[in-house]
Amino acid sequence: MAPKHGLASFQVAEEQLAKRAKSSATPASRSATPADPGAKVPFEVKYPNMDDNKARTETEEELVAQAEWQVSPFEAKGALREGELDQNFTVVPHTEWDSMKKYNNFISEWIDSKKQWNMC
């Protein structure tokens, strides 16, 4: 038996729902953060050659002098030696990077001291 009102009323209601969904000002996902393709990163990571036998330019010498040792948390499968993924790195510009590290250490120490104070 056919419905009394026909299918036309069903189609009109469906169209209204689709229009309402399209005109909504809220994004599909509120947690989705749009990517910023124009974001600028003022720092660059460089991996200086630490080979002592190689002649270096003044710039390379500066990178070697500021290099930090990074121990990798991973192990390479089939590695020829232990710590094969460990390496030296330098962040350029170094003075700005170093000042940020000091600030972050200060903040984390301050937070830790507040936690200890609240536990007493």
Side-chain angles (χ1 to χ4, degrees):
M1 188 167 188
K4 290 182 181 180
H5 304 290
L7 295 177
S9 64
F10 177 71
Q11 289 174 344
V12 170
E14 194 173 270
E15 287 174 9
Q16 288 175 344
L17 286 174
K19 286 179 184 177
R20 191 176 305 152
K22 286 179 185 175
S23 65
S24 175
T26 59
S29 172
R30 291 177 189 245
S31 65
T33 305
D36 182 9
K40 296 195 176 12
V41 180
F43 299 105
E44 182 180 355
V45 177
K46 299 200 176 206
Y47 302 97
N49 186 350
M50 302 300 279
D51 186 13
D52 291 331
N53 298 331
K54 182 185 172 212
R56 298 185 188 113
T57 64
E58 189 176 321
T59 307
E60 290 173 332
E61 277 296 331
E62 191 174 317
L63 290 175
V64 168
Q66 297 169 348
E68 297 179 44
W69 180 248
Q70 173 66 45
V71 177
S72 175
F74 306 104
E75 291 182 26
K77 288 185 177 180
L80 300 176
R81 59 184 167 80
E82 188 175 322
E84 191 169 345
L85 298 177
D86 302 345
Q87 61 186 354
N88 289 291
F89 73 97
T90 304
V91 180
V92 180
H94 183 71
T95 52
E96 289 87 349
W97 178 255
D98 202 37
S99 65
M100 284 182 56
K101 282 184 8 185
K102 289 176 186 171
Y103 174 76
N104 286 336
N105 289 338
F106 169 76
I107 293 298
S108 50
E109 287 174 16
W110 181 79
I111 290 171
D112 290 343
S113 70
K114 291 293 180 188
K115 287 179 184 176
Q116 291 172 357
W117 185 77
N118 287 336
M119 296 175 117
C120 294

mmCIF file of all heavy atoms in Angstrom, residues 71-99:
data_model
loop_
_atom_site.group_PDB
_atom_site.id
_atom_site.type_symbol
_atom_site.label_atom_id
_atom_site.label_comp_id
_atom_site.label_asym_id
_atom_site.label_seq_id
_atom_site.Cartn_x
_atom_site.Cartn_y
_atom_site.Cartn_z
ATOM 1 N N VAL A 71 71.611 11.222 21.895
ATOM 2 C CA VAL A 71 71.539 9.765 21.950
ATOM 3 C C VAL A 71 70.165 9.352 21.440
ATOM 4 O O VAL A 71 69.141 9.805 21.951
ATOM 5 C CB VAL A 71 71.767 9.246 23.385
ATOM 6 C CG1 VAL A 71 71.615 7.746 23.434
ATOM 7 C CG2 VAL A 71 73.133 9.678 23.892
ATOM 8 N N SER A 72 70.146 8.510 20.439
ATOM 9 C CA SER A 72 68.891 8.070 19.851
ATOM 10 C C SER A 72 68.190 7.065 20.768
ATOM 11 O O SER A 72 68.825 6.173 21.319
ATOM 12 C CB SER A 72 69.146 7.419 18.494
ATOM 13 O OG SER A 72 67.950 6.882 17.975
ATOM 14 N N PRO A 73 66.873 7.194 20.915
ATOM 15 C CA PRO A 73 66.133 6.218 21.712
ATOM 16 C C PRO A 73 65.865 4.917 20.949
ATOM 17 O O PRO A 73 65.277 3.992 21.490
ATOM 18 C CB PRO A 73 64.826 6.946 22.027
ATOM 19 C CG PRO A 73 64.645 7.886 20.890
ATOM 20 C CD PRO A 73 66.029 8.292 20.469
ATOM 21 N N PHE A 74 66.294 4.860 19.707
ATOM 22 C CA PHE A 74 66.044 3.697 18.862
ATOM 23 C C PHE A 74 67.333 2.945 18.572
ATOM 24 O O PHE A 74 68.420 3.497 18.653
ATOM 25 C CB PHE A 74 65.409 4.126 17.526
ATOM 26 C CG PHE A 74 64.179 4.950 17.708
ATOM 27 C CD1 PHE A 74 64.212 6.322 17.510
ATOM 28 C CD2 PHE A 74 62.990 4.367 18.090
ATOM 29 C CE1 PHE A 74 63.080 7.095 17.681
ATOM 30 C CE2 PHE A 74 61.848 5.133 18.270
ATOM 31 C CZ PHE A 74 61.902 6.494 18.066
ATOM 32 N N GLU A 75 67.169 1.686 18.211
ATOM 33 C CA GLU A 75 68.303 0.873 17.783
ATOM 34 C C GLU A 75 68.083 0.473 16.329
ATOM 35 O O GLU A 75 66.999 0.038 15.965
ATOM 36 C CB GLU A 75 68.424 -0.387 18.643
ATOM 37 C CG GLU A 75 68.844 -0.111 20.061
ATOM 38 C CD GLU A 75 69.004 -1.384 20.878
ATOM 39 O OE1 GLU A 75 69.274 -2.437 20.270
ATOM 40 O OE2 GLU A 75 68.841 -1.298 22.089
ATOM 41 N N ALA A 76 69.117 0.611 15.528
ATOM 42 C CA ALA A 76 69.011 0.256 14.122
ATOM 43 C C ALA A 76 69.099 -1.253 13.973
ATOM 44 O O ALA A 76 69.974 -1.894 14.560
ATOM 45 C CB ALA A 76 70.122 0.930 13.327
ATOM 46 N N LYS A 77 68.186 -1.823 13.187
ATOM 47 C CA LYS A 77 68.263 -3.255 12.898
ATOM 48 C C LYS A 77 69.467 -3.503 12.015
ATOM 49 O O LYS A 77 69.698 -2.785 11.040
ATOM 50 C CB LYS A 77 66.992 -3.742 12.195
ATOM 51 C CG LYS A 77 65.795 -3.792 13.085
ATOM 52 C CD LYS A 77 64.621 -4.402 12.350
ATOM 53 C CE LYS A 77 63.437 -4.513 13.279
ATOM 54 N NZ LYS A 77 62.293 -5.100 12.620
ATOM 55 N N GLY A 78 70.244 -4.483 12.356
ATOM 56 C CA GLY A 78 71.432 -4.805 11.568
ATOM 57 C C GLY A 78 72.537 -3.770 11.722
ATOM 58 O O GLY A 78 73.363 -3.628 10.833
ATOM 59 N N ALA A 79 72.535 -3.045 12.834
ATOM 60 C CA ALA A 79 73.563 -2.026 13.048
ATOM 61 C C ALA A 79 74.932 -2.676 13.178
ATOM 62 O O ALA A 79 75.072 -3.741 13.769
ATOM 63 C CB ALA A 79 73.246 -1.224 14.299
ATOM 64 N N LEU A 80 75.929 -2.019 12.624
ATOM 65 C CA LEU A 80 77.287 -2.544 12.696
ATOM 66 C C LEU A 80 77.911 -2.291 14.070
ATOM 67 O O LEU A 80 78.790 -3.007 14.493
ATOM 68 C CB LEU A 80 78.149 -1.903 11.603
ATOM 69 C CG LEU A 80 77.662 -2.150 10.174
ATOM 70 C CD1 LEU A 80 78.519 -1.385 9.180
ATOM 71 C CD2 LEU A 80 77.692 -3.645 9.852
ATOM 72 N N ARG A 81 77.441 -1.244 14.729
ATOM 73 C CA ARG A 81 77.966 -0.933 16.061
ATOM 74 C C ARG A 81 76.841 -0.362 16.924
ATOM 75 O O ARG A 81 75.838 0.130 16.411
ATOM 76 C CB ARG A 81 79.121 0.053 15.973
ATOM 77 C CG ARG A 81 78.751 1.358 15.325
ATOM 78 C CD ARG A 81 79.950 2.291 15.169
ATOM 79 N NE ARG A 81 79.640 3.390 14.298
ATOM 80 C CZ ARG A 81 78.967 4.482 14.650
ATOM 81 N NH1 ARG A 81 78.528 4.615 15.870
ATOM 82 N NH2 ARG A 81 78.747 5.441 13.782
ATOM 83 N N GLU A 82 77.026 -0.406 18.224
ATOM 84 C CA GLU A 82 76.028 0.128 19.152
ATOM 85 C C GLU A 82 76.037 1.657 19.071
ATOM 86 O O GLU A 82 77.090 2.278 18.953
ATOM 87 C CB GLU A 82 76.360 -0.313 20.571
ATOM 88 C CG GLU A 82 75.286 0.039 21.567
ATOM 89 C CD GLU A 82 75.589 -0.509 22.941
ATOM 90 O OE1 GLU A 82 76.117 -1.633 23.023
ATOM 91 O OE2 GLU A 82 75.308 0.194 23.916
ATOM 92 N N GLY A 83 74.864 2.263 19.121
ATOM 93 C CA GLY A 83 74.772 3.718 19.067
ATOM 94 C C GLY A 83 74.966 4.291 17.677
ATOM 95 O O GLY A 83 75.366 5.449 17.536
ATOM 96 N N GLU A 84 74.671 3.515 16.680
ATOM 97 C CA GLU A 84 74.893 3.961 15.309
ATOM 98 C C GLU A 84 74.001 5.153 14.936
ATOM 99 O O GLU A 84 74.371 5.970 14.100
ATOM 100 C CB GLU A 84 74.652 2.805 14.328
ATOM 101 C CG GLU A 84 75.104 3.105 12.930
ATOM 102 C CD GLU A 84 75.106 1.875 12.035
ATOM 103 O OE1 GLU A 84 75.031 0.749 12.533
ATOM 104 O OE2 GLU A 84 75.185 2.069 10.827
ATOM 105 N N LEU A 85 72.848 5.279 15.571
ATOM 106 C CA LEU A 85 71.935 6.372 15.261
ATOM 107 C C LEU A 85 72.219 7.632 16.081
ATOM 108 O O LEU A 85 71.615 8.669 15.849
ATOM 109 C CB LEU A 85 70.489 5.925 15.484
ATOM 110 C CG LEU A 85 70.001 4.778 14.606
ATOM 111 C CD1 LEU A 85 68.580 4.399 14.978
ATOM 112 C CD2 LEU A 85 70.098 5.141 13.140
ATOM 113 N N ASP A 86 73.125 7.563 17.034
ATOM 114 C CA ASP A 86 73.488 8.724 17.840
ATOM 115 C C ASP A 86 74.278 9.697 16.961
ATOM 116 O O ASP A 86 75.038 9.277 16.090
ATOM 117 C CB ASP A 86 74.342 8.319 19.037
ATOM 118 C CG ASP A 86 73.635 7.305 19.927
ATOM 119 O OD1 ASP A 86 72.414 7.141 19.791
ATOM 120 O OD2 ASP A 86 74.318 6.683 20.753
ATOM 121 N N GLN A 87 74.079 11.004 17.191
ATOM 122 C CA GLN A 87 74.784 11.971 16.353
ATOM 123 C C GLN A 87 74.899 13.325 17.027
ATOM 124 O O GLN A 87 74.219 13.613 17.998
ATOM 125 C CB GLN A 87 74.081 12.130 15.019
ATOM 126 C CG GLN A 87 72.656 12.628 15.125
ATOM 127 C CD GLN A 87 71.980 12.612 13.775
ATOM 128 O OE1 GLN A 87 72.598 12.341 12.761
ATOM 129 N NE2 GLN A 87 70.704 12.912 13.753
ATOM 130 N N ASN A 88 75.769 14.151 16.484
ATOM 131 C CA ASN A 88 75.941 15.529 16.927
ATOM 132 C C ASN A 88 75.040 16.426 16.091
ATOM 133 O O ASN A 88 74.833 16.176 14.905
ATOM 134 C CB ASN A 88 77.391 15.981 16.743
ATOM 135 C CG ASN A 88 78.312 15.297 17.720
ATOM 136 O OD1 ASN A 88 78.249 15.555 18.911
ATOM 137 N ND2 ASN A 88 79.139 14.396 17.226
ATOM 138 N N PHE A 89 74.521 17.482 16.732
ATOM 139 C CA PHE A 89 73.705 18.444 16.007
ATOM 140 C C PHE A 89 73.943 19.837 16.565
ATOM 141 O O PHE A 89 74.406 20.010 17.692
ATOM 142 C CB PHE A 89 72.218 18.090 16.106
ATOM 143 C CG PHE A 89 71.631 18.361 17.463
ATOM 144 C CD1 PHE A 89 70.946 19.534 17.714
ATOM 145 C CD2 PHE A 89 71.781 17.450 18.501
ATOM 146 C CE1 PHE A 89 70.416 19.790 18.972
ATOM 147 C CE2 PHE A 89 71.253 17.691 19.744
ATOM 148 C CZ PHE A 89 70.565 18.871 19.989
ATOM 149 N N THR A 90 73.634 20.830 15.773
ATOM 150 C CA THR A 90 73.715 22.225 16.171
ATOM 151 C C THR A 90 72.465 22.924 15.669
ATOM 152 O O THR A 90 72.041 22.696 14.537
ATOM 153 C CB THR A 90 74.945 22.915 15.550
ATOM 154 O OG1 THR A 90 76.105 22.177 15.910
ATOM 155 C CG2 THR A 90 75.089 24.329 16.024
ATOM 156 N N VAL A 91 71.867 23.756 16.525
ATOM 157 C CA VAL A 91 70.716 24.552 16.116
ATOM 158 C C VAL A 91 71.216 25.960 15.826
ATOM 159 O O VAL A 91 71.906 26.567 16.629
ATOM 160 C CB VAL A 91 69.628 24.569 17.209
ATOM 161 C CG1 VAL A 91 68.443 25.404 16.768
ATOM 162 C CG2 VAL A 91 69.189 23.150 17.532
ATOM 163 N N VAL A 92 70.865 26.477 14.653
ATOM 164 C CA VAL A 92 71.316 27.792 14.209
ATOM 165 C C VAL A 92 70.099 28.701 14.082
ATOM 166 O O VAL A 92 69.089 28.257 13.542
ATOM 167 C CB VAL A 92 72.040 27.662 12.849
ATOM 168 C CG1 VAL A 92 72.523 28.998 12.360
ATOM 169 C CG2 VAL A 92 73.165 26.666 12.942
ATOM 170 N N PRO A 93 70.085 29.917 14.534
ATOM 171 C CA PRO A 93 71.100 30.657 15.260
ATOM 172 C C PRO A 93 71.227 30.168 16.700
ATOM 173 O O PRO A 93 70.242 30.021 17.417
ATOM 174 C CB PRO A 93 70.640 32.107 15.193
ATOM 175 C CG PRO A 93 69.184 32.050 14.959
ATOM 176 C CD PRO A 93 68.913 30.761 14.242
ATOM 177 N N HIS A 94 72.467 29.925 17.095
ATOM 178 C CA HIS A 94 72.745 29.252 18.359
ATOM 179 C C HIS A 94 72.428 30.098 19.590
ATOM 180 O O HIS A 94 71.892 29.589 20.573
ATOM 181 C CB HIS A 94 74.212 28.806 18.397
ATOM 182 C CG HIS A 94 74.559 28.049 19.629
ATOM 183 N ND1 HIS A 94 74.100 26.779 19.848
ATOM 184 C CD2 HIS A 94 75.282 28.392 20.724
ATOM 185 C CE1 HIS A 94 74.535 26.351 21.026
ATOM 186 N NE2 HIS A 94 75.258 27.316 21.578
ATOM 187 N N THR A 95 72.733 31.391 19.572
ATOM 188 C CA THR A 95 72.522 32.216 20.771
ATOM 189 C C THR A 95 71.043 32.314 21.126
ATOM 190 O O THR A 95 70.682 32.209 22.299
ATOM 191 C CB THR A 95 73.109 33.627 20.587
ATOM 192 O OG1 THR A 95 72.607 34.176 19.371
ATOM 193 C CG2 THR A 95 74.618 33.591 20.534
ATOM 194 N N GLU A 96 70.176 32.491 20.134
ATOM 195 C CA GLU A 96 68.737 32.560 20.396
ATOM 196 C C GLU A 96 68.222 31.222 20.915
ATOM 197 O O GLU A 96 67.408 31.155 21.819
ATOM 198 C CB GLU A 96 67.961 32.964 19.140
ATOM 199 C CG GLU A 96 68.153 34.407 18.734
ATOM 200 C CD GLU A 96 69.358 34.614 17.843
ATOM 201 O OE1 GLU A 96 70.188 33.685 17.682
ATOM 202 O OE2 GLU A 96 69.489 35.727 17.311
ATOM 203 N N TRP A 97 68.699 30.132 20.318
ATOM 204 C CA TRP A 97 68.281 28.800 20.745
ATOM 205 C C TRP A 97 68.722 28.524 22.182
ATOM 206 O O TRP A 97 67.960 28.016 22.994
ATOM 207 C CB TRP A 97 68.842 27.740 19.801
ATOM 208 C CG TRP A 97 68.501 26.347 20.192
ATOM 209 C CD1 TRP A 97 69.320 25.427 20.759
ATOM 210 C CD2 TRP A 97 67.225 25.714 20.060
ATOM 211 N NE1 TRP A 97 68.646 24.256 20.985
ATOM 212 C CE2 TRP A 97 67.350 24.406 20.567
ATOM 213 C CE3 TRP A 97 65.997 26.126 19.559
ATOM 214 C CZ2 TRP A 97 66.290 23.505 20.595
ATOM 215 C CZ3 TRP A 97 64.941 25.229 19.592
ATOM 216 C CH2 TRP A 97 65.102 23.947 20.097
ATOM 217 N N ASP A 98 69.944 28.894 22.486
ATOM 218 C CA ASP A 98 70.483 28.663 23.817
ATOM 219 C C ASP A 98 69.711 29.471 24.865
ATOM 220 O O ASP A 98 69.433 28.973 25.951
ATOM 221 C CB ASP A 98 71.968 29.021 23.841
ATOM 222 C CG ASP A 98 72.705 28.335 24.965
ATOM 223 O OD1 ASP A 98 72.364 27.167 25.257
ATOM 224 O OD2 ASP A 98 73.611 28.961 25.547
ATOM 225 N N SER A 99 69.348 30.695 24.537
ATOM 226 C CA SER A 99 68.585 31.502 25.493
ATOM 227 C C SER A 99 67.192 30.916 25.714
ATOM 228 O O SER A 99 66.667 30.969 26.821
ATOM 229 C CB SER A 99 68.488 32.951 25.024
ATOM 230 O OG SER A 99 67.744 33.041 23.837
#
